[in-house]
Amino acid sequence: MPLESIGKFETKRLGVLNERGEADPDLMPQLSEEEIRRMYELMLLARVFDERAVALQREGRIGTYPPILGQEAAQVGSAFALSPGDWVFPSFREMGVHLTLGFPIAQLLQYWGGDERAQKAPEGLNIFPFCVAVGSQIPHAVGAALAVRYRRDPAVVVTYFGDGATSKGDFHEGMNMAGVFKLPMVFICQNNQWAISVPLKTQTATTSLAQKAVAYGFEGVQVDGNDVFAVYRATREALEKARGGGGPTFIECLTYRMADHTTADDAGRYRPPEEVALWRERDPITRLERFLEARGAWTPQRRVEAKEKAARVIDDAIREMENVLPPAPAELFDGVLAALTPRQTGQKKGL
Amino acid sequence: MAQLNMVQAINQALAYEMEHDDRVVLLGEDVGRDGGVFRVTEGLIERFGSERVLDTPLCESGIMGAAIGMAAYGLRPVTEIQFMGFTYSAFEQLFAHAARVRSRSRGRFTCPLVVRTPYGGGIKAPELHEESTEALFCQVPGLKVVVPSGPYMAKGLLLSALRDPDPVLFLEPTRLYRLIREEVPEGEYVVELGKARVARAGGAVTVVAWGSMLERVLKAVDGYDAEVLDLLTLSPFDIGAVLASVRKTGRLVIVHEAAKSCGFGAEIAATVAEEAILHLRAPILRVTAPDVPVPLAKLIDHYLPGPQQIRGALDEVLQY
Ligand SMILES: Cc1ncc(C[n+]2csc(CCOP(=O)(O)OP(=O)(O)O)c2C)c(N)n1
Ligand SMILES: [Mg+2]
């Protein structure tokens, strides 16, 4: 047998909006003016939420918080493409997804304030609790997708995770199962290029994360994660494919963690300020504003107004969060099991 | 002698051993450039280089498994798992392999590995950052479990663990990292594994604790004629020291921050019941967390055993 090639692979990168805010007309997804306005407002909402959350932590009004600064396009753009019946299995750094899907804002803050009651998603919103153990949510999404298929439902299951999570065994196991069973799933990697102090190049020897999908037998695509239109387009296509029985897709949103890992971290210890400055220039919100400005749909005043509007919404949520009565000690026992064990019953009485 | 906190004491032990034994290597997430999320490994990559201090990808099972291979090859790996809650994805490597390399290969290969991880509650951190599931690990034969209660003990115990021929889980009580400062000798000293310490002498009741609960117990027993044992090693635990104290006092209270059911207190109580039941003048009491998952910040103070509960148990056994 000669030495022959048995496979050739390529990985594509999608960008729609360049850094000057010019959209490629061939790739621009179909979006109404109203939808674009809504995306812009959601990205600003996410930005203001994040600023306020960091400030609240500094003031001791909530606990440790993981900022989403810089990842607004990757989160809003992808969540914007979802349909109401779809399921989401997030990590812990996708508050922009929650905001886009209408998760109660006060609850997000309440959770980061150390109150687990806030993890209860409202009825009708199929979003699983935050997953703190990195990457371990990925197989859950696989299982939900198996159930979707079993029930012949039109839903698609989406899971979000970071670049660091792609190093976990659960990522491999979940991706592999999704490929084997050709499941209605979309894997959305928020590649913000850092996992605490560990840079992407220590996470993987591959040139992209998207190419990993090849090894599981389905398509992977890298998108410019600071380009809300590219993220939206890639997600919508992947969702349509999944809904039509075409199987899973892996989307790598190449973005950047502009802030510290969490409010307990100091990124100045391990990454060069020039790198952060470079990415600050690539701010996803500014890019969308350039696009809107060229169409005569944006002025600096517009940002001020939209920010004020977002700030009012967030400030109301902060008030609401701070008016929530702290949990009673007996609530420790809520929901551990459907019914308390005899010992738990005794412990609850003895509190 | 310098007054050090536990972070500094552990750092000193690691540095000392790396200086004197080139088989010692560290691996884990953020242990190099960042010096670990609690700064326990600060300065070590600068001093010993990136071949001996490995910043790994995010992969607890991989870290643990790789450390087993290193140990079998003759190195002395030290893994840092960022929080105890993240050891869970490495259970297979730890339970099915690290603990069995010696027995499975009938001693042809061994696994002198130290797994360091911050553990315990009271730091108001996110979920899975305040676990204390030490009893799980104590059920696995072939694994040792060590819990220092302060800087001095931490350094001496870690030096012993680093020289131990078998795998040791070294649990670092997170709440104590910077809470206590003690005199810590600069050079070498070891604290033997498997030995408890009388942290306070007394005659009327024995209180057994470890880790961050020891600090609470020592405060709570003020005014009581209580003997406080700092267990230090949970597996194998110092049965002799517990029995000797209980035979003297006739009363036993065990305090741990883990949930009650199947917590390590159960093992101690059962052992005392087997060996010294006729010396007991009161039932053995356990002061523990309730059987619920470790809560977030808003409820953590109601979860961890407090001084009132500890004193309540003391009163109960003393008035029995
Ligand atoms: C299994 C596990 N190991 C370690 C941690 C501690 N930790 C929290 S976030 C993080 C980095 C995650 O990186 P990435 O997946 O890129 O997500 P990002 O934080 O960048 O959003 C680490 C190591 C954890 N939460 N879970
Ligand atoms: Mg990341």
Side-chain angles (χ1 to χ4, degrees):
Chain A
M1 280 289 280
L3 191 60
E4 56 184 339
S5 171
I6 56 165
K8 277 210 173 71
F9 306 101
E10 64 167 7
T11 314
K12 294 207 172 101
R13 174 184 164 87
L14 176 69
V16 175
L17 201 56
N18 68 20
E19 287 188 35
R20 292 184 301 281
E22 298 154 353
D24 183 325
D26 296 334
L27 294 173
M28 182 67 195
Q30 264 206 336
L31 283 165
S32 69
E33 295 295 327
E34 168 58 20
E35 284 170 321
I36 296 173
R37 189 186 59 81
R38 184 88 196 107
M39 278 179 161
Y40 175 63
E41 289 185 356
L42 282 166
M43 285 166 70
L44 274 181
L45 185 71
R47 178 69 52 95
V48 175
F49 173 88
D50 204 55
E51 288 168 358
R52 288 286 204 276
V54 171
L56 288 172
Q57 192 282 332
R58 301 282 183 238
E59 292 161 15
R61 292 156 74 188
I62 64 169
T64 305
Y65 170 80
I68 55 173
L69 183 66
Q71 299 181 218
E72 295 88 351
Q75 301 189 356
V76 171
S78 55
F80 204 85
L82 296 178
S83 297
D86 294 341
W87 280 63
V88 177
F89 289 81
S91 81
F92 54 84
R93 200 196 297 282
E94 288 102 18
M95 278 66 76
V97 171
H98 289 77
L99 293 169
T100 304
L101 297 178
F103 195 95
I105 302 171
Q107 272 182 238
L108 291 175
L109 295 167
Q110 191 188 343
Y111 174 71
W112 292 112
D115 188 342
E116 47 269 275
R117 295 175 303 177
Q119 287 255 53
K120 184 172 182 177
E123 281 308 321
L125 196 52
N126 302 324
I127 182 158
F128 226 49
F130 289 108
C131 182
V132 169
V134 168
S136 55
Q137 75 278 22
I138 297 172
H140 308 160
V142 170
L146 281 163
V148 162
R149 149 113 26 107
Y150 177 66
R151 291 295 185 207
R152 308 270 185 278
D153 283 337
V156 177
V157 182
V158 177
T159 178
Y160 285 88
F161 48 89
D163 43 302
T166 64
S167 299
K168 288 285 293 182
D170 281 344
F171 169 79
H172 165 73
E173 296 178 31
M175 290 279 282
N176 190 48
M177 285 178 83
V180 166
F181 295 121
K182 212 174 176 203
L183 295 174
M185 288 187 72
V186 184
F187 294 83
I188 302 181
C189 180
Q190 301 275 300
N191 178 5
N192 62 12
Q193 306 190 56
W194 289 89
I196 311 186
S197 74
V198 179
L200 185 63
K201 69 173 186 326
T202 305
Q203 219 58 253
T204 181
T206 59
T207 50
S208 74
L209 294 174
Q211 74 198 69
K212 289 176 187 267
V214 171
Y216 300 103
F218 58 91
E219 191 194 349
V221 58
Q222 186 183 74
V223 306
D224 181 337
N226 285 9
D227 167 354
V228 71
F229 296 143
V231 174
Y232 172 78
R233 185 192 171 98
T235 313
R236 204 186 59 188
E237 282 176 359
L239 288 165
E240 278 166 13
K241 180 174 99 183
R243 248 185 270 284
T249 307
F250 177 88
I251 300 174
E252 173 192 2
C253 301
L254 185 65
T255 177
Y256 193 76
R257 195 194 80 209
M258 271 157 58
D260 294 334
H261 169 68
T262 65
T263 48
D265 175 51
D266 173 12
R269 289 172 62 88
Y270 53 76
R271 66 180 185 184
E274 308 85 64
E275 183 185 293
V276 185
L278 186 81
W279 280 90
R280 198 166 293 130
E281 291 301 303
R282 301 180 183 158
D283 188 314
I285 297 183
T286 318
R287 200 187 299 190
L288 183 56
E289 286 172 345
R290 288 183 186 133
F291 169 83
L292 292 169
E293 190 174 22
R295 311 222 302 186
W298 188 86
T299 58
Q301 183 57 22
R302 173 85 184 85
R303 172 181 268 221
V304 173
E305 285 163 16
K307 257 198 125 164
E308 275 171 3
K309 187 173 158 193
R312 277 193 298 275
V313 173
I314 303 294
D315 289 341
D316 284 347
I318 293 172
R319 261 189 299 280
E320 192 185 331
M321 179 266 292
E322 292 196 318
N323 283 332
V324 175
L325 291 177
E331 292 184 59
L332 277 171
F333 295 86
D334 284 1
V336 182
L337 290 167
L340 294 184
T341 64
R343 177 169 272 172
Q344 285 171 331
T345 306
Q347 290 174 335
K348 191 172 175 178
K349 277 206 199 97
L351 272 175
Chain B
M1 247 188 291
Q3 289 273 333
L4 300 186
N5 65 29
M6 199 159 70
V7 169
Q8 297 164 320
I10 295 171
N11 180 277
Q12 250 193 25
L14 292 170
Y16 182 90
E17 204 63 356
M18 292 180 83
E19 190 73 58
H20 292 87
D21 184 348
D22 74 353
R23 296 171 305 171
V24 178
V25 294
L26 313 186
L27 63 160
E29 295 155 18
D30 306 286
V31 297
R33 186 85 190 267
D34 197 32
V37 290
F38 287 103
R39 311 287 175 252
V40 173
T41 54
E42 180 146 47
L44 298 180
I45 194 167
E46 288 80 5
R47 200 158 149 200
F48 299 103
S50 56
E51 267 190 310
R52 293 186 71 190
V53 183
L54 265 75
D55 266 324
T56 65
L58 206 167
C59 52
E60 286 76 12
S61 181
I63 293 166
M64 204 69 86
I68 293 170
M70 287 173 144
Y73 199 88
L75 301 186
R76 293 259 169 177
V78 182
T79 65
E80 176 177 301
I81 300 296
Q82 215 152 66
F83 286 91
M84 187 182 209
F86 308 133
T87 61
Y88 299 169
S89 69
F91 274 179
E92 179 166 72
Q93 292 300 337
L94 206 49
F95 293 178
H97 297 293
R100 296 181 188 214
V101 168
R102 181 186 291 278
S103 61
R104 189 179 287 141
S105 71
R106 287 299 179 264
R108 169 67 177 81
F109 298 105
T110 60
C111 190
L113 153 70
V114 175
V115 181
R116 293 183 36 246
T117 190
Y119 108 114
I123 56 161
K124 310 230 151 126
E127 199 191 348
L128 291 168
H129 289 62
E130 308 204 14
E131 303 283 287
S132 68
T133 43
E134 61 270 30
L136 289 177
F137 300 85
C138 294
Q139 240 242 311
V140 180
L143 197 60
K144 294 182 180 176
V145 180
V146 176
V147 189
S149 53
Y152 179 89
M153 286 293 144
K155 180 173 173 185
L157 286 166
L158 184 53
L159 282 172
S160 288
L162 290 165
R163 295 165 190 186
D164 198 87
D166 287 305
V168 179
L169 177 68
F170 194 81
L171 299 173
E172 302 170 0
T174 323
R175 195 170 65 83
L176 303 187
Y177 265 149
R178 293 188 162 81
L179 188 71
I180 306 171
R181 279 182 175 274
E182 282 173 356
E183 303 258 302
V184 176
E186 183 115 351
E188 176 190 17
Y189 68 95
V190 292
V191 175
E192 197 183 335
L193 303 189
K195 289 272 180 275
R197 167 180 78 104
V198 179
R200 178 188 194 269
V205 53
T206 301
V207 186
V208 175
W210 53 92
S212 90
M213 281 300 116
L214 185 81
E215 183 255 355
R216 287 225 167 144
V217 166
L218 287 175
K219 282 189 185 144
V221 297
D222 206 30
Y224 289 85
D225 183 16
E227 178 145 293
V228 178
L229 284 189
D230 179 4
L231 218 46
L232 296 171
T233 301
L234 301 190
S235 183
F237 86 97
D238 191 345
I239 297 177
V242 174
L243 292 179
S245 182
V246 170
R247 287 192 181 115
K248 184 172 77 175
T249 64
R251 300 180 182 90
L252 175 61
V253 172
I254 303 155
V255 183
H256 63 62
E257 62 172 284
K260 185 170 202 171
S261 295
C262 299
F264 196 68
E267 177 61 29
I268 300 170
T271 306
V272 170
E274 281 171 347
E275 308 275 340
I277 199 161
L278 297 179
H279 289 84
L280 289 172
R281 288 190 251 171
I284 301 169
L285 290 189
R286 287 178 282 166
V287 181
T288 71
D291 288 357
V292 303
V294 185
L296 298 182
K298 292 267 195 244
L299 284 176
I300 190 74
D301 291 337
H302 296 284
Y303 170 87
L304 296 173
Q308 247 182 329
Q309 287 156 278
I310 297 168
R311 283 196 285 265
L314 293 176
D315 292 338
E316 198 177 327
V317 296
L318 288 168
Q319 287 155 22
Y320 185 77

